[in-house]
Amino acid sequence: MERIPCEHSIKIEYSNLTIGDVTSRPQLYAAVEGDLLIIKDNELIFSENGVLLLELAKEFNKWLGNQQEDFEYYSMDYEDAPILFFKEKTGSWSIGGVWFDGEYSEVKTSDIADACRKFITDLLHDLSIKGIDVGFFYID
């Protein structure tokens, strides 16, 4: 019997977007918070509130420029261990982090990259709707 490989899908989403008081652009990275949700194969594998979403989007954007490297997200709010990581493991990737219940493997690079791009696009769009000038995002 021929085995058909499973498609693994990853979604990186957020909810409860909040924007604190901001007087300068650098403060914006620490002022945009929300709940981070990661879904693998339609199963919620991670949910954490109070994540600095714009800071995370900035780190995703850096990683998208060099996807051959492992990704580790240390927040300015929590620097003891990576909140989120993507690590290459023999042709596929694993996802995990300090607050995950485990490590989730066999994820395609393209699925992670697409999820990161969508996260960035959605967040910048929502911030723009809320009157935040996000034109700086790709030049910082």
Side-chain angles (χ1 to χ4, degrees):
M1 173 157 70
E2 183 178 340
R3 183 175 175 179
I4 300 171
C6 295
E7 290 292 322
H8 295 281
S9 68
I10 290 290
K11 294 179 186 174
I12 304 172
E13 300 176 347
Y14 59 87
S15 62
N16 301 321
L17 177 64
T18 61
I19 305 165
D21 289 334
V22 179
T23 58
S24 68
R25 187 169 78 200
Q27 288 179 327
L28 191 57
Y29 289 104
V32 176
E33 290 186 345
D35 301 344
L36 179 63
L37 310 166
I38 301 180
I39 298 127
K40 180 180 186 289
D41 298 327
N42 296 317
E43 177 186 342
L44 182 65
I45 62 170
F46 181 77
S47 176
E48 186 65 37
N49 62 0
V51 174
L52 299 179
L53 300 174
L54 188 59
E55 177 190 58
L56 177 59
K58 183 178 178 180
E59 295 303 312
F60 282 161
N61 193 50
K62 283 185 202 174
W63 179 76
L64 286 167
N66 187 6
Q67 297 170 32
Q68 289 73 37
E69 304 254 332
D70 289 348
F71 172 84
E72 292 186 335
Y73 169 57
Y74 293 85
S75 173
M76 64 178 88
D77 279 352
Y78 189 84
E79 297 176 356
D80 295 338
I83 292 172
L84 174 63
F85 66 73
F86 312 142
K87 293 184 180 182
E88 187 172 17
K89 303 245 181 168
T90 320
S92 67
W93 289 72
S94 65
I95 295 177
V98 68
W99 297 325
F100 277 69
D101 288 334
E103 200 169 303
Y104 298 85
S105 59
E106 298 184 28
V107 182
K108 292 187 216 174
T109 307
S110 60
D111 288 349
I112 296 172
D114 289 346
C116 290
R117 281 188 204 95
K118 183 169 180 356
F119 179 89
I120 293 167
T121 300
D122 290 349
L123 181 61
L124 294 180
H125 174 40
D126 287 348
L127 290 173
S128 180
I129 287 172
K130 291 183 178 277
I132 303 293
D133 177 10
V134 294
F136 68 88
F137 181 78
Y138 291 105
I139 57 174
D140 270 356

